[in-house]
Amino acid sequence: MYLVAEESIIGHIKRVLFTKEDDSYTVFDIEDDSGRVIRVVGCAPSLAEGLRVRATGLFQNHPRFGLQFRADTVMALPPDKPEAIAKYLASGQVRGIGDTLARRLVSYFKDRIREALDGDVEGLKECPGIGEHRAKTIHEAWHKHLKERETYILLAGMGLTHAQILRTIKVFGENAPARVQQNPYDLIRFVHGIGFKTADQIARRVGIKEDSPTRIQAALLFVLEQAQEAGHCFLGLEDLVRHTGFYTGAPEQACSQAILEVQRRGDIVVDKGKEGLRVFLASLYHAEQEVASRLRLLRKRNLEGIFIDRLPDWLSTSQKQALQAIKGAPVSVLTGGPGTGKTTILKYLVEACEKRGLKVALAAPTGRAAMRLSETSGREAKTIHRLLHFNPHTMQFACDEIDADLVVIDEASMLDIVLAMHLLKAIGSKTRLLLVGDADQLPPVGPGCPFLDIIESKTAPVLRLREVFRQEARSSIVTAAHMVLRGEVPNLSDTDTSDFYIVHKENPADVATTIEKLVCERIPQRFGFDPIKEIQVLAPMKKGDCGTDRLNAMLKERLNPEWSGKPGFHVNDRVIQTRNNYEKEVFNGDIGVIVAVSSDGGISVSFDGRVVHFEQDEAGDLMLAHAITVHKAQGSEFKAVVISLHTQHYMMLRRNLFYTALTRGKNLVVVIGNRKALHLAVSNDRVEPRNTTLAERLREG
């Protein structure tokens, strides 16, 4: 086997022909110093005409496009020739210097332009019309840009992509190359979107050996963090050793030694359960302990009952029993499906408290859920983060004690163990807590399952509402949801006044095209819903012929035809935030519509009327949302919901997922899929178990 030596070409960007949406693939022309124009393909940073670059790779003969240079790395170099510098400055790459100013500078300094830019402020003031302030601005912008470029080049040389470099620089600043060189595995913990595989490849480049304890310890923590993302609070010791060995190839003894070392550092906790040793990330272990301890203290408090006058006759027996239990309990749980009267009880309870001069705080885990709670209760409702005065700069909750006699948390099934801990820490000695939610919905996106664990532990009053009231029973959506809970396939007759429909399509491609027509034509024409702002498509998975990826591409082409086939985000795209951005108060699952796209890659999004601007490196947390997964829709409600349900997604077809999807629709739900998928989704009542210890700890107390 013969190794082919890589080549390097240096020149100026003559033209950028194509850039893939995620910057993973670019096609551009380089004009080298001899005047030869070379077609280059590969992963490259955001490029501009005039930029001087060094591309390293191999020449290849493409069967269709002929001779090309396939670049493994593309590094930006400072431009040197006056005309290249002029183009580069005019491209907007150096903030504060535009086309007019660039022409003026190059016209005056000519061949001395690079010397003037690299020099001091006084030298720039030679140019007519450039005073002290503007010269200082130009000097700072150019030198700051050179430092950023140097940092970029070093990180690109380590193998990071454009998007990863931007996020790494944002986290570590100009010290990023040194930090990555010292321990590439820090990227996993601190830079979103970088996993063990990417960090491990960088580690090899900077010389970290395969059997390095640092590498094995990093893999161990990565496995636990992946388990956390899957909802678990711990992994069994044997599972952790096996998965760590899978990622590293390390023997069992080396993995066990890594566990001891990481435990000694305090990053993990190992404790003994009924089925053997369990390994927790330290933060999750302490969160479960804290929640259990706070709940035990809370339920032992002897609080004076909320005085409620004679309950009105229009309340059902189950509603009266629930109110009687809630008014006397320091902590209680209210659960039930749609139409069972949770909102009625909540409104009556809040009004009774207000009549007695008692303060009530209403909150929910997400902005959309809080907005809906405010609409149904007629009172102000906040996100839990706002209620607890979360500071995005310090990442701390500033509220030591909530100023309320009663705290009501709606959509409490969405509470993960960490947020539950912060909430319970702020419940004062004279405050009651009521958790309201639907126990049959999907578990929270984050780790743990405190709502279900509290119910399972039977250590607090749990009020289950099962009766569907006459007014709500008129809704076919409500009827269908309760049929699914009973394991029955909804078989309701379609009428002109119905709000629930099933359309049978056996072929997954037919499912997708039917959804496209429903969203873009039939539903807007018949029901008057806005296809971009008021209709939400849900699917169990991203992949497949009728998954969210394919549906988003089809729907964008129809709903935003001006940008059909063009990469990136555009005005009128419906998008979803995929991770919490506390600084901007935009959270995982928030949905909005793009109202502006700036030339530097920034995006402005309207979230229910509130416009938020995202810089280029922050826009990576947005995804198209004409179609989203059911998990992403938790806690949200939409005027019209269209559900894709096909056996292509058989692994995800479960009753709680289908039920959650159905209950996202307020005025209309349409299910499109094959009969087998419908029967699978209804009959499969298996709930994916989560590794938690909260119920166990509550029972022990």
Side-chain angles (χ1 to χ4, degrees):
M1 180 178 176
Y2 295 94
L3 294 176
V4 180
E6 287 193 325
E7 299 181 57
S8 290
I9 55 174
I10 297 175
H12 297 92
I13 301 292
K14 187 175 179 67
R15 186 170 52 147
V16 178
L17 290 90
F18 172 78
T19 300
K20 199 174 179 182
E21 185 174 333
D22 60 358
D23 286 313
S24 63
Y25 185 80
T26 306
V27 181
F28 56 100
D29 289 339
I30 290 180
E31 183 177 357
D32 69 10
D33 294 339
S34 69
R36 180 178 57 156
V37 177
I38 303 165
R39 176 66 46 85
V40 182
V41 295
C43 178
S46 55
L47 302 175
E49 288 186 17
L51 181 66
R52 188 169 173 80
V53 297
R54 176 192 290 116
T56 303
L58 296 169
F59 278 101
Q60 292 183 347
N61 211 346
H62 192 279
R64 181 179 174 188
F65 300 110
L67 189 65
Q68 296 179 335
F69 189 82
R70 181 164 292 278
D72 292 326
T73 61
V74 179
M75 294 188 182
L77 305 172
D80 50 2
K81 296 180 180 178
E83 60 271 22
I85 292 175
K87 280 187 178 181
Y88 186 60
L89 292 177
S91 71
Q93 293 282 313
V94 183
R95 290 185 182 181
I97 304 179
D99 183 55
T100 303
L101 185 54
R103 290 177 185 277
R104 182 188 301 176
L105 289 166
V106 173
S107 174
Y108 178 78
F109 287 108
K110 295 185 173 58
D111 290 342
R112 295 189 299 119
I113 179 62
R114 183 60 194 271
E115 180 185 337
L117 289 168
D118 288 343
D120 56 22
V121 174
E122 291 301 317
L124 288 168
K125 286 164 63 177
E126 290 180 23
C127 180
I130 304 294
E132 178 76 26
H133 176 72
R134 178 163 279 190
K136 190 174 180 181
T137 301
I138 295 168
H139 179 269
E140 289 176 354
W142 174 258
H143 284 269
K144 181 175 183 289
H145 187 71
L146 285 184
K147 185 64 180 176
E148 288 173 352
R149 274 290 165 191
E150 181 184 339
T151 302
Y152 193 110
I153 290 166
L154 289 170
L155 291 174
M158 293 178 185
L160 276 76
T161 67
H162 173 61
Q164 290 168 347
I165 289 171
L166 292 181
R167 290 197 292 268
T168 302
I169 291 173
K170 187 169 185 178
V171 173
F172 297 129
E174 62 184 42
N175 293 322
R179 182 70 181 267
V180 174
Q181 179 87 25
Q182 182 182 2
N183 187 356
Y185 300 107
D186 278 350
L187 291 167
I188 303 171
R189 184 172 295 187
F190 297 108
V191 181
H192 173 66
I194 295 183
F196 181 80
K197 185 178 178 181
T198 299
D200 203 35
Q201 290 171 345
I202 296 167
R204 299 295 178 88
R205 289 193 179 205
V206 301
I208 293 179
K209 294 182 179 179
E210 190 172 326
D211 61 352
S212 164
T214 300
R215 178 174 182 259
I216 301 169
Q217 291 163 23
L220 183 153
L221 288 171
F222 175 70
V223 169
L224 285 173
E225 285 159 5
Q226 289 293 102
Q228 174 182 319
E229 287 193 16
H232 301 299
C233 290
F234 70 86
L235 279 181
L237 180 68
E238 292 180 1
D239 285 341
L240 178 58
V241 168
R242 185 175 70 255
H243 288 300
T244 303
F246 171 79
Y247 278 105
T248 61
E252 184 177 324
Q253 184 178 357
C255 295
S256 298
Q257 185 61 41
I259 290 173
L260 292 174
E261 178 57 30
V262 178
Q263 182 184 14
R264 186 189 64 78
R265 289 203 313 251
D267 292 337
I268 62 174
V269 175
V270 181
D271 84 345
K272 190 172 183 180
K274 293 177 182 177
E275 298 179 3
L277 293 176
R278 309 176 292 201
V279 186
F280 300 73
L281 287 171
S283 59
L284 297 183
Y285 178 82
H286 296 307
E288 283 206 314
Q289 274 199 324
E290 187 75 23
V291 168
S293 173
R294 296 274 175 173
L295 282 170
R296 284 196 294 266
L297 287 173
L298 186 55
R299 73 177 188 231
K300 290 176 182 177
R301 287 176 187 160
N302 185 21
L303 299 178
E304 184 180 344
I306 300 171
F307 181 80
I308 299 178
D309 292 327
R310 180 179 175 274
L311 295 172
D313 294 335
W314 51 265
L315 288 173
S316 71
T317 302
S318 61
Q319 288 176 323
K320 290 177 181 177
Q321 289 172 345
L323 280 166
Q324 291 290 359
I326 291 167
K327 74 175 188 177
V331 58
S332 54
V333 174
L334 179 64
T335 183
T340 55
K342 297 192 300 293
T343 300
T344 301
I345 290 176
L346 195 54
K347 287 177 73 173
Y348 189 85
L349 181 65
V350 170
E351 288 170 4
C353 287
E354 289 174 344
K355 284 179 183 176
R356 300 293 166 187
L358 300 176
K359 290 184 179 179
V360 181
L362 304 177
T366 68
R368 279 182 168 252
M371 190 182 302
R372 198 165 75 251
L373 176 59
S374 182
E375 290 168 357
T376 56
S377 67
R379 309 292 191 280
E380 181 189 18
K382 302 176 180 179
T383 63
I384 295 174
H385 283 80
R386 269 194 66 206
L387 180 69
L388 301 181
H389 303 162
F390 181 77
N391 186 328
H393 302 292
T394 63
M395 299 297 285
Q396 300 293 321
F397 292 90
C399 178
D400 294 324
E401 187 172 308
I402 300 167
D403 182 21
D405 299 288
L406 172 66
V407 173
V408 178
I409 304 298
D410 196 18
E411 294 285 357
S413 63
M414 296 181 68
L415 271 176
D416 64 35
I417 194 67
V418 177
L419 190 54
M421 175 190 70
H422 290 296
L423 172 68
L424 285 162
K425 278 184 174 182
I427 300 295
S429 59
K430 296 180 180 179
T431 301
R432 279 182 167 74
L433 175 64
L434 172 61
L435 300 174
V436 183
D438 189 341
D440 294 306
Q441 289 192 19
L442 290 170
V445 174
C449 204
F451 187 69
L452 287 182
D453 285 344
I454 293 168
I455 293 172
E456 184 193 333
S457 72
K458 299 178 182 177
T459 55
V462 177
L463 301 316
R464 290 183 181 271
L465 302 176
R466 292 187 173 89
E467 180 183 355
V468 180
F469 292 95
R470 186 178 304 168
Q471 185 178 356
E472 298 292 345
R474 294 173 188 163
S475 165
S476 296
I477 297 172
V478 172
T479 303
H482 285 277
M483 289 179 73
V484 169
L485 282 183
R486 296 193 298 269
E488 303 170 14
V489 175
N491 187 20
L492 307 173
S493 59
D494 297 345
T495 66
D496 290 340
T497 58
S498 180
D499 57 5
F500 176 77
Y501 300 87
I502 296 177
V503 180
H504 295 293
K505 295 289 178 182
E506 292 302 313
N507 187 295
D510 291 341
V511 172
T513 54
T514 303
I515 288 173
E516 180 190 340
K517 288 178 182 177
L518 282 167
V519 172
C520 302
E521 300 170 22
R522 293 166 64 183
I523 292 177
Q525 289 168 6
R526 181 171 174 182
F527 298 95
F529 295 126
D530 185 320
I532 294 177
K533 297 179 181 178
E534 297 178 327
I535 304 175
Q536 183 62 62
V537 178
L538 303 179
M541 295 174 69
K542 294 180 180 180
K543 302 301 180 186
D545 295 324
C546 53
T548 60
D549 288 348
R550 175 66 182 143
L551 291 168
N552 269 317
M554 294 173 69
L555 291 169
K556 175 168 180 170
E557 191 169 333
R558 284 291 304 277
L559 297 173
N560 213 354
E562 181 183 352
W563 305 105
S564 177
K566 296 179 181 177
F569 291 120
H570 305 96
V571 173
N572 283 333
D573 281 346
R574 182 177 172 93
V575 292
I576 185 169
Q577 177 76 3
T578 59
R579 65 193 293 258
N580 292 339
N581 187 323
Y582 298 108
E583 193 167 335
K584 297 184 183 295
E585 291 189 44
V586 182
F587 300 97
N588 186 5
D590 284 355
I591 294 173
V593 177
I594 294 177
V595 294
V597 178
S598 55
S599 58
D600 63 0
I603 295 172
S604 296
V605 182
S606 174
F607 293 97
D608 295 313
R610 184 173 74 95
V611 177
V612 179
H613 183 75
F614 297 88
E615 299 296 338
Q616 184 183 10
D617 62 309
E618 298 171 320
D621 295 332
L622 295 170
M623 290 176 60
L624 275 179
H626 299 293
I628 61 174
T629 62
V630 180
H631 284 82
K632 286 291 184 187
Q634 282 178 268
S636 296
E637 187 178 64
F638 310 97
K639 288 187 176 181
V641 166
V642 179
I643 302 170
S644 170
L645 205 68
H646 196 274
T647 42
Q648 272 199 345
H649 301 146
Y650 73 94
M651 291 179 65
M652 296 295 292
L653 297 179
R654 295 195 180 109
R655 186 182 297 172
N656 63 348
L657 182 134
F658 186 31
Y659 171 75
T660 301
L662 286 177
T663 53
R664 299 308 91 202
K666 183 179 181 181
N667 304 107
L668 177 69
V669 172
V670 184
V671 181
I672 301 97
N674 59 342
R675 286 177 170 83
K676 188 175 180 180
L678 193 61
H679 283 272
L680 276 173
V682 171
S683 61
N684 185 5
D685 63 350
R686 182 174 177 269
V687 176
E688 196 68 34
R690 289 193 169 192
N691 293 340
T692 71
T693 63
L694 180 59
E696 171 190 318
R697 294 179 194 279
L698 288 171
R699 284 193 293 265
E700 287 173 354

